[in-house]
Amino acid sequence: MFPMLTLLSMFYYICLRRRSRSGTRSEALGSRRAVELGQRSALPVTVEVEQYGKEVLDFSSHYGSENSMSYTMWNLAGVPNVYPSSGDFTQTAVFRIYGSWWEQCTSSVPRFRRTPPSFHSQDYLELAFEEPVYPTAVEVLETYHPGAIVKILACSLNPFSQNPPADVRWEVLWAGKPNKALTPQARQFSPGIKQINFATNLLRLEVNCSLLEYYTELDAVILRGVRERPILALYKIPLIDISDLSDSEEEISDAGGLCCRSGGENRHNLGNGYFDRLPYELIQLIVSHLPVPDLCRLAQSCKLFHKHCCDPLQYIQLSLQPYWARLTDASLSHLQSRCTLLQRLNMSWTGNRGAVTAAGFCSFMKACGVSLVCLELSCCHFLTEACLEVIAQTCPCLQELNLASCDRLQPQAFNHIAKLPNLRRLVLYRTKVEQSAILSILTFCPELKHLNLGSCVMIEDYDVVASMLSARCRSLRSLDLWRCRNLSERGLAELVSGCRLLEELDLGWCSTLQSSSGCFQHLARSLPRLRKLFLTANRTVCDSDLEELAANCSALEHLDILGTRMVNPASLRKLLQSCPQLKLLDVSFCSQVDSRFVQELSGLFPNVSIKKSFTQ
């Protein structure tokens, strides 16, 4: 009996030691005594600090323009502009997408294999506050279609400090699944958050809008906390998991489960049981269902699994985006030998604030980029011109490149993209690409099928770009010109005359286009394969335009004519009758289309989601 008690005591000590790493040993032992004696210590009286966001530091997308404040993420800083009112207000922060419509488009990218089921995030924003505090509550004021927030994180870095720490940590305060509120009305979202052992004045909100009926709008964020670290009244020892039995100070989780040591090579093979009888291919299939961190952990269990988990065939596709908070140069270095056959790589959101350096990324690309076909790098602020040069030199097979919201890349860096002649898909949303660079890209990349130039404010003359597209990229299937400033009717006419295979065209907020010139009617006659057309906020769209769409674009699925004053109910009814595949129709702020008529059309065409925004 005594050896058993000794063994249990050792087991308990190991678990206690692991748990005490978040605090001091004396705190852990003191808490243990409190648990054993059933005592509760009194919490010290502290003053709670309440503060609104001071500055939006980073975000992945927004509905608004780079040159104004309407519907931009910058509206989230400061006190509320709208709350407690509900509805569609320009003074709020709005992300670029909502619903599942974008996933159904031709230009959408297939989901990467091995993406953890728990990773739901589609967009994010980072918000700094004036004073670091130990958080006690986070409150988000949502004023329209709430429910998008799926994760709230806190950072150990003070963005206003002149001496940033060498190790930047992110801790999840709260996480949930995609959701939507029962009504689109305003609400104050304040989930229960966990306590952390560092003060923070930098929060990150991650959202998933796939279940929402319309754009979610955020008005302000409140961070509540105390200046001094709170002492827990009762130290609760969590349930012990088998993965907690490691007594090593170096844990796999410290590197996000991605620093894959090769310790399995030094162990004695004691036999693998029934696994020795299974075909190699079957074990490979079983292992292929593991997320990347689990794959790295399994590689350390025995020689057999080390061999399977290090097989380059397991790394044909690799999505590191879910592990953005923990990915480092060391992680890339450890993965390097396994990714020699890598074809699809997603590093979006990773490496910011020094976690990944340009040198570390370039080293990885030189070793693993030769077979790359798809490369996702949205919001990767570590990227430099040297990085794009290495991509151009080492990735001759590259067909898809996403640099969305890499807004810190200098304009000259984009010239290197022209050295990738096999490009089929290019996303440059919210970048500083200039006209000379995009013209060079179009000249040397004639196989482009999907191009996103949304919110590219450095392009001076979109007519010239449209002319080049018409001449060089006749296989183009989708084109996003969201908020392009100066596309004229002449440029649009050239574009649709040369790119007749277009299925998606986003001309939202292109205010220079005038329906009276006949440009939209010519568009409808020239693009019979059109499935998605956004003419958002073009007040000149009229009945004649819709009649041409009804007559020539029977495959139309998504149409946005928000804000037009010249469309009447009769032309809408005709369009719905002529386009049986229509799924989304946005008539918000169309002055001649009232809510009563929208309800009537929704009853007649139940398969069409007809949007009519409101302001309370």
Side-chain angles (χ1 to χ4, degrees):
M1 180 175 179
F2 290 105
M4 180 61 70
L5 288 174
T6 303
L7 182 61
L8 289 174
S9 299
M10 292 176 63
F11 177 81
Y12 186 79
Y13 171 73
I14 291 171
C15 298
L16 183 63
R17 182 179 175 208
R18 174 183 170 85
R19 293 300 174 190
S20 67
R21 287 173 190 158
S22 61
T24 65
R25 181 175 177 82
S26 61
E27 286 174 344
L29 293 175
S31 300
R32 177 184 169 189
R33 294 190 189 99
V35 173
E36 292 171 346
L37 297 175
Q39 297 175 347
R40 292 178 179 270
S41 59
L43 286 174
V45 177
T46 57
V47 177
E48 188 176 62
V49 177
E50 175 187 297
Q51 50 187 329
Y52 290 94
K54 177 180 179 181
E55 183 180 351
V56 175
L57 299 182
D58 192 20
F59 55 90
S60 54
S61 76
H62 61 180
Y63 186 90
S65 165
E66 303 303 297
N67 300 316
S68 74
M69 290 296 291
S70 297
Y71 297 121
T72 64
M73 285 299 126
W74 301 304
N75 285 321
L76 206 58
V79 299
N81 297 308
V82 172
Y83 187 86
S85 298
S86 301
D88 191 337
F89 291 92
T90 61
Q91 304 98 316
T92 57
V94 185
F95 290 98
R96 179 69 184 86
I97 63 173
Y98 73 92
S100 59
W101 320 111
W102 277 259
E103 297 172 2
Q104 302 168 6
C105 293
T106 306
S107 57
S108 65
V109 181
R111 186 177 175 87
F112 275 71
R113 281 171 37 202
R114 278 204 173 96
T115 301
S118 59
F119 182 73
H120 306 294
S121 306
Q122 294 177 331
D123 274 300
Y124 76 86
L125 67 91
E126 293 179 3
L127 183 63
F129 297 79
E130 181 68 35
E131 181 180 356
V133 294
Y134 292 92
T136 57
V138 175
E139 300 171 7
V140 184
L141 306 184
E142 303 173 276
T143 54
Y144 200 38
H145 288 277
I149 298 171
V150 294
K151 191 176 288 187
I152 303 174
L153 303 98
C155 186
S156 61
L157 171 72
N158 182 346
F160 305 122
S161 172
Q162 300 298 321
N163 300 306
D167 181 31
V168 177
R169 295 170 51 200
W170 286 93
E171 288 285 344
V172 177
L173 299 179
W174 173 87
K177 295 181 179 180
N179 193 12
K180 70 174 181 179
L182 296 177
T183 70
Q185 304 296 323
R187 75 171 185 181
Q188 181 174 297
F189 179 61
S190 183
I193 63 173
K194 79 170 188 179
Q195 291 189 342
I196 57 177
N197 60 3
F198 59 82
T200 184
N201 63 337
L202 176 56
L203 296 183
R204 176 177 171 121
L205 307 184
E206 295 185 359
V207 303
N208 182 313
C209 302
S210 61
L211 298 182
L212 301 187
E213 295 294 328
Y214 205 57
Y215 297 99
T216 188
E217 299 190 6
L218 311 179
D219 193 15
V221 177
I222 303 171
L223 172 61
R224 300 182 188 275
V226 294
R227 294 184 176 91
E228 297 181 2
R229 181 177 177 180
I231 302 174
L232 298 180
L234 180 64
Y235 190 89
K236 296 181 180 180
I237 299 178
L239 294 175
I240 303 303
D241 184 77
I242 192 68
S243 62
D244 291 338
L245 299 182
S246 168
D247 197 37
S248 169
E249 293 297 332
E250 279 190 4
E251 300 177 35
I252 297 171
S253 61
D254 289 341
L258 299 177
C259 288
C260 317
R261 299 187 292 272
S262 302
E265 295 291 352
N266 300 322
R267 298 173 184 169
H268 299 291
N269 187 0
L270 301 178
N272 302 298
Y274 287 107
F275 281 103
D276 286 330
R277 302 183 183 182
L278 293 179
Y280 187 90
E281 293 80 4
L282 182 56
I283 300 179
Q284 282 282 288
L285 178 61
I286 295 171
V287 171
S288 70
H289 292 280
L290 292 175
V292 176
D294 291 344
L295 196 67
C296 295
R297 294 184 182 104
L298 184 62
Q300 301 179 63
S301 61
C302 67
K303 285 185 177 180
L304 175 68
F305 286 140
H306 184 271
K307 180 179 180 180
H308 282 283
C309 294
C310 293
D311 192 321
L313 290 174
Q314 290 291 336
Y315 300 86
I316 299 294
Q317 293 189 34
L318 181 60
S319 178
L320 300 176
Q321 183 181 10
Y323 319 108
W324 63 265
R326 297 172 291 180
L327 191 74
T328 64
D329 281 348
S331 306
L332 292 179
S333 178
H334 281 287
L335 288 168
Q336 195 166 293
S337 62
R338 308 181 180 199
C339 297
T340 54
L341 300 179
L342 186 62
Q343 294 181 9
R344 300 186 71 220
L345 174 62
N346 182 5
M347 286 185 60
S348 294
W349 303 4
T350 63
N352 297 335
R353 296 187 171 86
V356 172
T357 64
F361 173 79
C362 290
S363 175
F364 183 79
M365 293 306 299
K366 289 175 182 178
C368 309
V370 66
S371 300
L372 265 184
V373 175
C374 173
L375 182 56
E376 301 282 326
L377 296 172
S378 67
C379 306
C380 289
H381 300 313
F382 63 84
L383 290 175
T384 64
E385 181 179 358
C387 295
L388 291 198
E389 185 176 10
V390 167
I391 292 171
Q393 292 172 349
T394 60
C395 305
C397 304
L398 197 63
Q399 296 181 12
E400 301 181 37
L401 179 60
N402 182 357
L403 297 173
S405 291
C406 292
D407 53 347
R408 299 172 198 179
L409 265 175
Q410 294 305 305
Q412 64 271 17
F414 297 95
N415 291 310
H416 296 287
I417 299 176
K419 303 170 188 175
L420 298 167
N422 296 311
L423 273 184
R424 304 289 191 276
R425 173 175 163 267
L426 179 61
V427 180
L428 298 177
Y429 167 73
R430 287 192 66 238
T431 62
K432 295 178 180 177
V433 62
E434 292 181 338
Q435 185 167 308
S436 58
I438 194 63
L439 293 178
S440 178
I441 292 169
L442 299 180
T443 299
F444 295 102
C445 303
E447 301 301 318
L448 271 176
K449 293 186 177 180
H450 305 286
L451 178 62
N452 187 333
L453 297 176
S455 293
C456 290
V457 298
M458 304 286 282
I459 297 177
E460 299 170 354
D461 190 345
Y462 274 92
D463 281 354
V464 177
V465 175
S467 178
M468 183 65 76
L469 281 168
S470 177
R472 298 290 298 172
C473 301
R474 293 181 173 268
S475 298
L476 202 64
R477 296 291 195 279
S478 71
L479 178 62
D480 191 332
L481 297 179
W482 176 262
R483 292 188 180 273
C484 73
R485 296 181 300 169
N486 47 30
L487 180 68
S488 72
E489 295 85 357
R490 179 180 60 83
L492 180 59
E494 265 195 272
L495 173 68
V496 300
S497 297
C499 302
R500 291 183 173 270
L501 299 181
L502 271 173
E503 298 178 21
E504 299 176 27
L505 183 57
D506 193 332
L507 300 173
W509 296 86
C510 298
S511 57
T512 53
L513 297 172
Q514 297 294 315
S515 172
S516 57
S517 67
C519 62
F520 297 137
Q521 297 175 43
H522 178 56
L523 179 155
R525 290 191 291 266
S526 301
L527 304 177
R529 300 189 181 194
L530 201 60
R531 295 170 54 191
K532 171 186 171 181
L533 178 62
F534 274 33
L535 300 175
T536 316
N538 191 307
R539 301 184 184 280
T540 68
V541 175
C542 63
D543 292 333
S544 300
D545 302 323
L546 295 197
E547 290 170 3
E548 287 293 339
L549 287 172
N552 297 285
C553 303
S554 59
L556 197 63
E557 297 179 7
H558 305 150
L559 178 63
D560 186 341
I561 55 171
L562 175 149
T564 182
R565 300 170 177 172
M566 305 175 67
V567 167
N568 66 50
S571 60
L572 280 178
R573 189 190 300 270
K574 183 177 180 180
L575 177 78
L576 288 163
Q577 292 170 342
S578 303
C579 299
Q581 299 182 52
L582 199 63
K583 300 174 183 176
L584 171 67
L585 175 62
D586 195 337
V587 293
S588 300
F589 302 108
C590 292
S591 55
Q592 295 191 44
V593 182
D594 58 27
S595 298
R596 180 193 56 80
F597 182 70
V598 169
Q599 291 179 352
E600 179 185 337
L601 287 181
S602 297
L604 294 173
F605 302 94
N607 295 326
V608 185
S609 183
I610 305 176
K611 308 300 181 183
K612 179 68 174 176
S613 186
F614 74 89
T615 300
Q616 181 175 302

